Amino acid sequence: MVIVMGPDAAPADIEAIVETIGAAGGEAFVSRGVSRTIIGLVGDVAQFSALDLRGMRGVADVMRVTAPYKLVSRDNHPERSTIRVGGVPIGPGTVTLIAGPCAVETPQQTLEAAEMAKAAGATLLRGGAYKPRTSPYAFQGLGEAGLRILADVREQTGLPIVTEVVDAHDVELVASYADMLQIGTRNAQNFALLQAVGGVGKPVMLKRGMNATIEEWLMAAEYIAQRGNLDIVLCERGIRTFETATRNTLDVSAVPVAQRLSHLPVIVDPSHSGGRRDLVLPLTRAAIAVGADGVIIDVHPHPEQALCDGPQALVDGDLDELARVIREFPPLVGRTAAGDALASA
Amino acid sequence: MVIVMGPDAAPADIEAIVETIGAAGGEAFVSRGVSRTIIGLVGDVAQFSALDLRGMRGVADVMRVTAPYKLVSRDNHPERSTIRVGGVPIGPGTVTLIAGPCAVETPQQTLEAAEMAKAAGATLLRGGAYKPRTSPYAFQGLGEAGLRILADVREQTGLPIVTEVVDAHDVELVASYADMLQIGTRNAQNFALLQAVGGVGKPVMLKRGMNATIEEWLMAAEYIAQRGNLDIVLCERGIRTFETATRNTLDVSAVPVAQRLSHLPVIVDPSHSGGRRDLVLPLTRAAIAVGADGVIIDVHPHPEQALCDGPQALVDGDLDELARVIREFPPLVGRTAAGDALASA
Amino acid sequence: MVIVMGPDAAPADIEAIVETIGAAGGEAFVSRGVSRTIIGLVGDVAQFSALDLRGMRGVADVMRVTAPYKLVSRDNHPERSTIRVGGVPIGPGTVTLIAGPCAVETPQQTLEAAEMAKAAGATLLRGGAYKPRTSPYAFQGLGEAGLRILADVREQTGLPIVTEVVDAHDVELVASYADMLQIGTRNAQNFALLQAVGGVGKPVMLKRGMNATIEEWLMAAEYIAQRGNLDIVLCERGIRTFETATRNTLDVSAVPVAQRLSHLPVIVDPSHSGGRRDLVLPLTRAAIAVGADGVIIDVHPHPEQALCDGPQALVDGDLDELARVIREFPPLVGRTAAGDALASA
Amino acid sequence: MVIVMGPDAAPADIEAIVETIGAAGGEAFVSRGVSRTIIGLVGDVAQFSALDLRGMRGVADVMRVTAPYKLVSRDNHPERSTIRVGGVPIGPGTVTLIAGPCAVETPQQTLEAAEMAKAAGATLLRGGAYKPRTSPYAFQGLGEAGLRILADVREQTGLPIVTEVVDAHDVELVASYADMLQIGTRNAQNFALLQAVGGVGKPVMLKRGMNATIEEWLMAAEYIAQRGNLDIVLCERGIRTFETATRNTLDVSAVPVAQRLSHLPVIVDPSHSGGRRDLVLPLTRAAIAVGADGVIIDVHPHPEQALCDGPQALVDGDLDELARVIREFPPLVGRTAAGDALASA
């Protein structure tokens, strides 16, 4: 950390800080400039954070210089990680397509969506049995019945399944069915839930909070990692901005930025960020081009009857183009589509 | 709802919509303009929402015209509500001061903070035993031991207690100690938790999500109300914007706006919105002046030793001015300070 | 400035920076921590800014520690300034009410609005002759004819006038009529215009850009000051956020923050921030309570016929309450209403 | 427009609106629902906007249903436009690379940058002679001397030039040198400047305001178009959000959204949006993949000596990869690189 003293800080103010830091087991280096004095702190940052350094006499600003996350940081783990979900890799060499219905509604709808997904090149099936909805009057998902449908469809299609968990106390149940647990954007700082998925032996896909900075997103991942689970895939899904033409604003820059700060894979959700079917394919292309390790996409056999987010689901006519994008774009960024990676394995 | 057709919509497109709405049990009124046709829908909005109306041929836009919340809306409950917490009113006639330490650390610190709070005019004690922290390495609260300290301090000071709950499965435990449950900004869309506090017989203070629109905040309240608990106090605590000089941006306009849309009381947290001690008193004055039904403020006897948010806690020297503000401002907005309301009762 | 080196920075990288800074006429102090090395820079910051320090080997971050504005900063001018506009003070001892129509439409409408303003306690008259409108098809103002109307109404009412200028080449013309020039939010980074008003001998009211940080707002003021005009009043008028219930989000915290950083007076525009008549009085109370040096408010005798922003103008029925607020709130923050200040002078 | 009446609107309130609209020369269609009445308005929207409809008794909301821009809208001009700049096309069939230094500093630096640009596939040269800078103490550009350098470099390289204009009264001068005028993000609502470039016979590149919605961006273009100049290229350059890891947040979704609403070409500036060299290539790939009609990129032979935005300029080592991206990505979105388009012409 660095403490910047105000222009009117007295020598005694500076001494007081040096003593406080020393008492906390750290060391303070004082650099006296013409108009300002700067004090560099060396030691355990977590300990310094608890001190009210900003409240001390003469202090103008306190700045952190190291990342507050450790386990997910690339500082100590320079090589980018590959996470395997039921054998399917998500990582720097591939582009993984995860697709399926937003919500599991019926066995028939889920199977049809899974077959659409597979035909487009998907190697993992998404589908929600527990749906966090803004309105208490909206469809909240089928619960365990939905998990059973997903398990049946996995049986029929061979696609491992990714599904959301919304309550810490459902984690074991959901993990008993799922190949990968999903934490949604509204739970991105539900720390009880993050800790719970940290204690279970299944990979986790962590969506970025729609209001989370990249640093907060990595801190949320650190919560999971700190409980012993490092099989985490980060998912950018749009942030909240002033623009209303799209549901959220897909922050494509976050993909290379997060990949540079963390060794974890980063994928993109082009369906929920825009909230509009006509944006899904352009944003999928942008996601792969910017360097995402995968994309997760809503498909639905009959979106006009969907119980959740029908307006953004891709339909049959879009899937040929999705398949083409998944096939043709990865080589241009030095990757293979995960489907081809499996096929050639 | 209103459907706006595109300039090139065909008569058959309009007919298709009229039929779809009819089939869903509603009625559609068509207004043909020079360049656009508008279709007004009458019937059960929740049902129409599930339809992919935007995806139908010729549709340019679909707009909602009624609020999606019902129980917390002023439409059906025009009079503003007063909620009582251990006998203390929060509502349109008073300005209630809730104060105390951000986190319960020791019995001594909590008692001292409570006495500071009471001296400044507080009629309710705040204090956190479960702390949702951005970093897994930060102090997470004392848990039930903290609740016991709060209960003891209530005994000693007579102040009813407000404390946060962060996990649905702790709700009963926390409710067995607390006079009012607090839902924090990071859990503002943790629907499992909202439903759990909806099922318990204690008042709830619901902080606005830092990225929540006022409508989403009211929808979160509706989740609680829908489970049978209408003793809800809304708390504005700053929203996330591009400005970095303050931790968040206190949205004072949200107070009169939410009071006009909902019958629930609305209070303000000037400590967490700014995150800076020097802003707490100015923002407290602004909150009362704009018409808030109360304020919730961090105080700490020794903020330089605080384990959480020390930099924003008011200290001894500030409390005389806080007391003056709590005494002098309410009459200018036609209210009494809640302390005086109790004293004169 | 402070340079934070990455964890893998080599000694040679650090030396290279020390040399570069030395060559630029500065001095570099190196603090070696356990995981990071920090380099404090002393010298002319403007010169360092031009260097691509971030691009140098081993550099992780570069942080500025002094404000980039000088003339408007309180660092070198600790006492807060009072600006006089046609004899009316705006500054720390008073609360000045500026009121009038959003746009000058007719002599009659302007005079009626001015009389409404005066009756409510206004000591300065606002009114726009040049209107920057989002749509080219909207009323753009009367131009010089509007300025003549304002001058006539000043004659009749004795109220000095505040009016907007939107083009650098109109500055002299507008200044020949106006007592204070206004720079609108859309021109807050129109540097040609800022420089032009810096060269004219009339006070300037500088609205905050709706997307400007407080620092950028002060830098815009520095543009004016640097040309020799320090008679600047800052005006907070709401920032753009994700919330759509109000036109913009009034950032009341910006008032004390800007007052702490700069010696210039800071006023608030409660009319344009909310864009809704029902919010003007609550936000006016909040502005005075938070410590604003004045408020600027739209009034209109017949808002239903207004050519610009009718929905936010106060009407006759609101003015008694405005007068009460302007009279009763200033004493609670240790100020007098500017009208009383003049009356007692 | 559509007027939504409140639940307690009286029949007389509805009649009053019908009469008001009739008096304004329009027609009102009333749809009575169970809880709400909706009134659709037909006629001249600009005229209705001036009415204080929101202020009328019983009105709950007023919603616009047609776009407020006409000349740039695709409604009346369904085919997407191609703009030619000194013979170089920008439009739906091509991907145009515009590159060059952020600021013109010397003839040598400008020529070297232009040759780097050309080698990477650029067919247009960018370079600023007038620089809008946040600080008045920063380099403000060479002015007309810079324009002369650009003209000389055009002579030497054959690249038509794109350069910024920041003051309405410089428009003729700049237009006498430039092949295309650029309006920067800070002037995106400088209406005097927009009107001035609307009156000159040169193509205009209009950057999106960093706080502008897509609709406001198109309204700014309408200002130019309304003066008779329809040779406008829109440029997405990042919007301001809460994220601080990047200078601004590139809104890639805005490209397909704007292309659907307007017939004008849309390009992307990946240099200024991120403000970081390491993001320029990933964001360039994303821009082309999402469907942009071109990109505009900063290059500099010696960014460590640049007087402006050195940290984001591409350097020699990056240019081979830029050239590859410009060559290989366009075919995947059904386009040719503009350079190839010229070569094959």
Side-chain angles (χ1 to χ4, degrees):
Chain A
M1 292 176 107
V2 173
I3 298 177
V4 181
M5 303 302 291
D8 50 356
D13 299 340
I14 294 167
E15 268 168 53
I17 287 165
V18 172
E19 274 167 35
T20 300
I21 296 302
E27 231 178 318
F29 293 87
V30 178
S31 306
R32 284 186 178 78
V34 174
S35 63
R36 299 283 177 120
T37 293
I38 294 162
I39 307 177
L41 310 190
V42 175
D44 179 1
V45 174
Q47 207 168 351
F48 301 156
S49 309
L51 302 169
D52 180 17
L53 294 169
R54 260 173 223 278
M56 292 186 73
R57 268 180 69 92
V59 171
D61 204 359
V62 178
M63 300 182 291
R64 224 184 42 220
V65 299
T66 45
Y69 41 84
K70 299 171 169 64
L71 300 170
V72 306
S73 167
R74 246 178 121 165
D75 275 8
N76 310 312
H77 187 306
E79 206 169 328
R80 299 198 54 226
S81 297
T82 295
I83 308 299
R84 292 195 167 263
V85 181
V88 175
I90 306 179
T94 46
V95 174
T96 308
L97 172 61
I98 308 171
C102 183
V104 171
E105 298 164 16
T106 66
Q108 177 67 13
Q109 164 256 9
T110 307
L111 180 60
E112 283 183 41
E115 281 167 350
M116 289 167 68
K118 200 172 176 180
T123 49
L124 294 170
L125 173 65
R126 64 152 294 158
Y130 298 88
K131 300 300 306 174
R133 301 300 295 277
T134 305
S135 166
Y137 306 112
F139 175 61
Q140 311 267 328
L142 297 180
E144 190 171 359
L147 297 174
R148 279 193 297 266
I149 292 174
L150 285 169
D152 288 347
V153 171
R154 170 175 52 196
E155 202 68 24
Q156 294 168 280
T157 60
L159 296 174
I161 56 185
V162 181
T163 195
E164 182 162 359
V165 57
V166 298
D167 187 334
H169 294 262
D170 295 335
V171 166
E172 278 191 39
L173 174 71
V174 178
S176 72
Y177 288 93
D179 298 285
M180 182 181 231
L181 299 170
Q182 177 180 324
I183 303 290
T185 188
R186 290 174 182 75
N187 283 312
Q189 292 198 311
N190 179 341
F191 302 120
L193 182 59
L194 295 173
Q195 289 174 328
V197 299
V200 87
K202 284 283 167 72
V204 177
M205 179 201 302
L206 175 64
K207 289 207 170 178
R208 180 179 181 185
M210 70 182 80
N211 68 315
T213 61
I214 293 169
E215 182 175 305
E216 289 168 338
W217 186 23
L218 297 179
M219 286 308 291
E222 188 82 3
Y223 257 95
I224 300 171
Q226 190 231 8
R227 292 290 168 114
N229 187 348
L230 266 158
D231 286 342
I232 306 165
V233 172
L234 302 168
C235 180
E236 159 65 30
R237 49 77 66 212
I239 57 174
R240 180 153 274 181
T241 70
F242 62 79
E243 178 58 66
T244 55
T246 44
R247 184 157 61 182
N248 290 118
T249 298
L250 181 65
D251 181 7
V252 281
S253 314
V255 175
V257 170
Q259 286 172 340
R260 170 164 292 224
L261 295 171
S262 169
H263 57 88
L264 300 175
V266 184
I267 68 170
V268 166
D269 180 341
S271 301
H272 286 78
S273 48
R276 291 166 49 162
R277 183 175 303 132
D278 64 329
L279 295 180
V280 175
L281 287 169
L283 295 181
T284 299
R285 295 193 308 255
I288 301 176
V290 89
D293 301 308
V295 286
I296 177 165
I297 291 177
D298 284 12
V299 300
H300 198 288
H302 307 289
E304 71 287 359
Q305 299 165 11
L307 296 177
C308 174
D309 284 343
Q312 78 198 23
L314 289 190
V315 293
D316 252 343
D318 309 311
L319 291 179
D320 287 351
E321 175 61 6
L322 176 60
R324 181 188 76 84
V325 167
I326 291 296
R327 204 170 52 235
E328 293 188 2
F329 275 74
L332 265 72
V333 287
R335 294 169 184 255
T336 50
D340 300 339
L342 288 175
S344 68
Chain B
M1 293 176 108
V2 172
I3 298 178
V4 181
M5 303 302 292
D8 49 356
D13 299 340
I14 295 167
E15 267 169 55
I17 288 164
V18 172
E19 273 167 36
T20 300
I21 296 302
E27 232 177 317
F29 293 87
V30 178
S31 307
R32 284 186 178 80
V34 173
S35 63
R36 298 284 178 121
T37 293
I38 295 161
I39 307 177
L41 309 192
V42 175
D44 178 2
V45 173
Q47 207 170 349
F48 301 156
S49 311
L51 301 170
D52 180 18
L53 293 169
R54 261 174 223 277
M56 291 185 73
R57 268 180 70 92
V59 172
D61 205 359
V62 178
M63 300 184 289
R64 224 185 41 220
V65 300
T66 46
Y69 41 83
K70 298 169 169 65
L71 300 170
V72 306
S73 167
R74 244 178 124 167
D75 274 8
N76 310 312
H77 186 307
E79 206 170 327
R80 299 198 54 228
S81 297
T82 295
I83 307 300
R84 292 193 167 265
V85 181
V88 175
I90 306 179
T94 46
V95 174
T96 307
L97 172 60
I98 308 170
C102 184
V104 171
E105 299 164 13
T106 67
Q108 177 66 13
Q109 164 256 10
T110 307
L111 180 60
E112 284 183 40
E115 283 167 348
M116 289 167 69
K118 200 173 176 179
T123 49
L124 294 171
L125 174 65
R126 63 153 293 157
Y130 298 87
K131 301 299 306 172
R133 302 299 296 277
T134 305
S135 166
Y137 306 112
F139 176 61
Q140 311 268 326
L142 298 179
E144 191 172 359
L147 296 175
R148 279 194 297 264
I149 292 174
L150 284 170
D152 289 348
V153 172
R154 171 175 52 195
E155 203 67 25
Q156 294 168 282
T157 61
L159 296 174
I161 55 185
V162 182
T163 196
E164 182 162 359
V165 57
V166 300
D167 187 333
H169 295 259
D170 295 334
V171 166
E172 278 191 39
L173 175 71
V174 178
S176 72
Y177 289 92
D179 297 286
M180 183 182 230
L181 299 170
Q182 176 181 322
I183 303 290
T185 188
R186 290 174 182 76
N187 284 311
Q189 292 198 309
N190 178 341
F191 302 119
L193 181 58
L194 296 173
Q195 289 174 327
V197 299
V200 87
K202 285 285 167 71
V204 177
M205 179 200 302
L206 175 64
K207 291 207 169 179
R208 180 180 180 185
M210 71 182 79
N211 68 315
T213 61
I214 293 170
E215 181 175 306
E216 288 168 339
W217 189 20
L218 297 180
M219 286 308 290
E222 186 83 2
Y223 257 96
I224 301 170
Q226 190 232 9
R227 291 289 170 116
N229 187 349
L230 265 157
D231 287 343
I232 307 165
V233 173
L234 302 168
C235 180
E236 160 64 31
R237 49 77 66 211
I239 57 174
R240 179 151 274 181
T241 70
F242 61 80
E243 178 56 69
T244 56
T246 45
R247 184 158 59 181
N248 290 118
T249 298
L250 181 65
D251 181 7
V252 282
S253 315
V255 175
V257 170
Q259 287 173 340
R260 171 164 291 225
L261 294 171
S262 170
H263 58 88
L264 300 175
V266 183
I267 68 170
V268 166
D269 180 342
S271 302
H272 286 78
S273 48
R276 291 166 49 163
R277 183 175 302 132
D278 65 329
L279 295 181
V280 175
L281 287 169
L283 294 182
T284 299
R285 296 194 307 257
I288 301 176
V290 90
D293 301 308
V295 286
I296 177 165
I297 291 178
D298 284 12
V299 300
H300 198 288
H302 307 290
E304 71 286 359
Q305 299 165 12
L307 296 177
C308 174
D309 284 342
Q312 78 198 23
L314 290 190
V315 294
D316 251 344
D318 309 312
L319 291 179
D320 288 350
E321 174 62 5
L322 176 60
R324 181 187 77 82
V325 167
I326 291 296
R327 206 170 49 237
E328 293 187 2
F329 275 74
L332 265 71
V333 287
R335 294 169 184 254
T336 50
D340 299 337
L342 288 176
S344 69
Chain C
M1 293 176 108
V2 173
I3 298 177
V4 181
M5 303 302 292
D8 49 355
D13 299 339
I14 294 167
E15 269 169 53
I17 287 164
V18 173
E19 275 168 34
T20 300
I21 296 302
E27 230 177 320
F29 294 86
V30 178
S31 306
R32 284 186 177 79
V34 174
S35 64
R36 297 286 177 120
T37 292
I38 294 161
I39 307 177
L41 309 192
V42 174
D44 178 2
V45 174
Q47 205 169 352
F48 301 155
S49 310
L51 301 170
D52 180 18
L53 294 170
R54 260 174 222 276
M56 293 186 72
R57 267 179 70 93
V59 172
D61 205 359
V62 178
M63 299 182 291
R64 223 184 42 219
V65 299
T66 45
Y69 40 85
K70 297 171 170 65
L71 301 170
V72 306
S73 168
R74 245 178 123 168
D75 274 8
N76 310 313
H77 186 307
E79 206 170 326
R80 299 198 54 228
S81 297
T82 294
I83 307 301
R84 291 193 168 266
V85 181
V88 175
I90 306 180
T94 45
V95 174
T96 307
L97 172 60
I98 308 170
C102 184
V104 172
E105 298 165 15
T106 66
Q108 176 67 11
Q109 164 257 9
T110 307
L111 180 60
E112 282 183 41
E115 282 167 350
M116 289 167 68
K118 200 173 177 180
T123 49
L124 294 170
L125 174 65
R126 63 152 294 157
Y130 297 87
K131 301 300 305 173
R133 302 299 296 278
T134 305
S135 165
Y137 306 112
F139 175 61
Q140 310 266 328
L142 297 180
E144 190 171 0
L147 296 175
R148 278 194 298 264
I149 292 174
L150 284 169
D152 288 347
V153 172
R154 171 174 52 197
E155 202 68 24
Q156 294 168 280
T157 61
L159 296 174
I161 55 185
V162 181
T163 196
E164 182 162 358
V165 57
V166 299
D167 186 334
H169 294 261
D170 296 333
V171 166
E172 277 191 40
L173 174 72
V174 178
S176 72
Y177 288 92
D179 297 285
M180 183 181 230
L181 299 170
Q182 176 181 322
I183 302 290
T185 188
R186 290 175 182 75
N187 283 312
Q189 291 199 310
N190 179 342
F191 301 120
L193 181 60
L194 295 173
Q195 289 175 327
V197 299
V200 87
K202 285 283 167 73
V204 177
M205 178 200 303
L206 176 64
K207 291 208 168 178
R208 180 181 181 184
M210 72 181 80
N211 68 315
T213 61
I214 293 170
E215 182 175 305
E216 289 167 341
W217 188 20
L218 297 179
M219 286 307 291
E222 187 83 4
Y223 257 95
I224 300 170
Q226 191 231 9
R227 291 291 169 114
N229 187 348
L230 264 157
D231 286 342
I232 306 166
V233 173
L234 301 169
C235 180
E236 159 65 30
R237 49 78 65 212
I239 57 174
R240 180 153 273 183
T241 70
F242 62 80
E243 178 58 67
T244 55
T246 45
R247 183 158 60 182
N248 290 118
T249 298
L250 181 66
D251 181 6
V252 282
S253 316
V255 175
V257 170
Q259 286 172 341
R260 172 163 290 226
L261 294 171
S262 169
H263 57 89
L264 300 176
V266 183
I267 67 170
V268 166
D269 179 342
S271 301
H272 286 79
S273 48
R276 290 167 49 162
R277 184 175 301 132
D278 64 329
L279 295 180
V280 175
L281 287 169
L283 295 181
T284 299
R285 296 194 306 257
I288 301 176
V290 90
D293 301 308
V295 285
I296 177 166
I297 290 178
D298 285 12
V299 300
H300 198 289
H302 306 291
E304 71 286 359
Q305 299 165 10
L307 297 177
C308 174
D309 284 343
Q312 79 198 22
L314 289 190
V315 294
D316 251 342
D318 309 311
L319 291 180
D320 287 351
E321 175 61 6
L322 176 61
R324 182 188 77 83
V325 167
I326 290 297
R327 205 170 50 235
E328 294 187 2
F329 275 74
L332 265 72
V333 287
R335 295 169 183 255
T336 50
D340 299 338
L342 288 176
S344 69
Chain D
M1 293 175 107
V2 172
I3 298 177
V4 181
M5 304 301 292
D8 49 356
D13 300 341
I14 294 166
E15 268 168 53
I17 288 164
V18 172
E19 274 167 34
T20 300
I21 296 302
E27 231 177 318
F29 293 87
V30 178
S31 307
R32 285 186 176 79
V34 174
S35 63
R36 298 283 177 121
T37 292
I38 295 161
I39 307 177
L41 308 191
V42 174
D44 178 3
V45 174
Q47 207 169 349
F48 301 155
S49 310
L51 302 170
D52 181 18
L53 294 169
R54 262 174 222 276
M56 292 185 73
R57 267 179 71 91
V59 171
D61 205 0
V62 178
M63 300 183 290
R64 223 183 42 220
V65 299
T66 44
Y69 41 83
K70 297 171 170 66
L71 301 170
V72 306
S73 167
R74 246 179 123 165
D75 274 7
N76 310 312
H77 187 307
E79 206 170 326
R80 299 198 55 228
S81 297
T82 295
I83 308 300
R84 292 195 167 263
V85 182
V88 176
I90 306 180
T94 46
V95 174
T96 307
L97 173 60
I98 308 171
C102 184
V104 172
E105 299 165 13
T106 65
Q108 177 66 13
Q109 164 256 9
T110 307
L111 180 60
E112 283 183 40
E115 282 167 348
M116 289 167 69
K118 199 172 177 180
T123 49
L124 294 171
L125 173 67
R126 64 152 293 158
Y130 298 87
K131 301 299 305 173
R133 302 300 296 277
T134 304
S135 166
Y137 306 111
F139 175 61
Q140 310 268 327
L142 298 179
E144 191 172 359
L147 296 175
R148 279 194 296 265
I149 292 173
L150 284 169
D152 288 348
V153 172
R154 171 176 51 197
E155 202 69 24
Q156 295 167 280
T157 61
L159 296 174
I161 56 184
V162 181
T163 196
E164 184 162 357
V165 57
V166 299
D167 187 334
H169 294 260
D170 296 334
V171 166
E172 277 192 39
L173 174 72
V174 178
S176 72
Y177 288 92
D179 297 286
M180 181 182 231
L181 300 170
Q182 176 179 323
I183 302 291
T185 187
R186 290 174 182 75
N187 284 312
Q189 292 199 310
N190 179 341
F191 302 119
L193 181 58
L194 296 173
Q195 289 174 328
V197 299
V200 85
K202 285 282 168 75
V204 177
M205 179 200 304
L206 175 65
K207 289 207 169 180
R208 180 180 180 184
M210 71 180 79
N211 68 317
T213 60
I214 294 169
E215 182 175 305
E216 289 167 339
W217 187 22
L218 296 180
M219 286 307 291
E222 187 82 4
Y223 257 95
I224 300 171
Q226 191 232 7
R227 291 291 168 115
N229 187 348
L230 265 158
D231 286 343
I232 306 166
V233 172
L234 301 168
C235 180
E236 159 65 33
R237 50 77 66 210
I239 58 173
R240 180 152 274 182
T241 70
F242 62 80
E243 178 58 67
T244 56
T246 44
R247 185 157 59 181
N248 290 116
T249 299
L250 181 65
D251 181 7
V252 282
S253 315
V255 175
V257 170
Q259 286 172 340
R260 171 165 293 225
L261 294 171
S262 169
H263 57 89
L264 301 175
V266 183
I267 69 170
V268 166
D269 179 341
S271 301
H272 286 78
S273 49
R276 292 167 48 163
R277 183 175 302 132
D278 64 329
L279 295 181
V280 175
L281 287 169
L283 294 181
T284 299
R285 296 194 307 256
I288 302 176
V290 90
D293 301 308
V295 286
I296 177 165
I297 291 177
D298 284 13
V299 300
H300 198 289
H302 307 289
E304 71 286 358
Q305 299 166 11
L307 296 177
C308 174
D309 284 343
Q312 79 199 22
L314 289 191
V315 295
D316 251 345
D318 309 311
L319 291 180
D320 287 351
E321 174 61 5
L322 176 60
R324 181 189 77 83
V325 167
I326 291 295
R327 204 169 52 235
E328 293 187 4
F329 276 72
L332 264 72
V333 286
R335 295 169 184 256
T336 50
D340 299 338
L342 288 176
S344 69

